[in-house]
Amino acid sequence: FTCDATGRATYAAERDITVPVDIEASIKSSSGTNKDVKIYLAKNGTVINNSGTLVRVDSTDTQNASVIWQLTLAQNDYLEIFIENKTDTTNMIVTDAVLRVR
């Protein structure tokens, strides 16, 4: 894998592989309380809808969220983490995040 400054992890090997992927992220809202947020795994810029995990956050209490998934990667496929505020348009803050391919 190669990673860039945007957080994109690109599979650089020649052979296709099927691998488990997990995400751990700490999220809070920039303001307000009781914001429902979903965290997703995305492959090649497309969110994997079924990977979404819902957490409720606010501006004073960071919540941890996890995604566990398995997928097949081909050369130059890339993985990203997407966050969606399901409540309103308040910005979310990701204080820490790890995308792990095993």
Side-chain angles (χ1 to χ4, degrees), residues 23 25-28 36-41 47 53 55 65 80-86 91-94 97:
I23 298 168
S26 300
I27 307 166
K28 67 180 184 176
D36 289 334
V37 177
K38 271 199 162 181
I39 178 173
Y40 299 93
L41 175 64
V47 167
T53 299
V55 294
E80 297 172 295
I81 301 168
F82 282 44
I83 307 292
E84 177 185 21
N85 180 342
K86 303 290 282 181
N91 289 330
M92 293 298 126
I93 300 167
V94 177

Side-chain angles (χ1 to χ4, degrees), residues 16-51:
D16 292 0
I17 59 169
T18 300
V19 292
V21 176
D22 59 272
I23 298 168
E24 299 288 334
S26 300
I27 307 166
K28 67 180 184 176
S29 66
S30 61
S31 65
T33 60
N34 296 323
K35 309 294 183 188
D36 289 334
V37 177
K38 271 199 162 181
I39 178 173
Y40 299 93
L41 175 64
K43 178 180 171 184
N44 299 328
T46 302
V47 167
I48 302 169
N49 285 322
N50 290 338
S51 72

Side-chain angles (χ1 to χ4, degrees), residues 39-77:
I39 178 173
Y40 299 93
L41 175 64
K43 178 180 171 184
N44 299 328
T46 302
V47 167
I48 302 169
N49 285 322
N50 290 338
S51 72
T53 299
L54 183 70
V55 294
R56 181 164 285 171
V57 302
D58 60 49
S59 62
T60 61
D61 187 24
T62 302
Q63 294 295 317
N64 295 321
S66 300
V67 172
I68 299 170
W69 206 252
Q70 182 167 313
L71 48 75
T72 300
L73 298 172
Q75 187 176 37
N76 297 321
D77 281 347

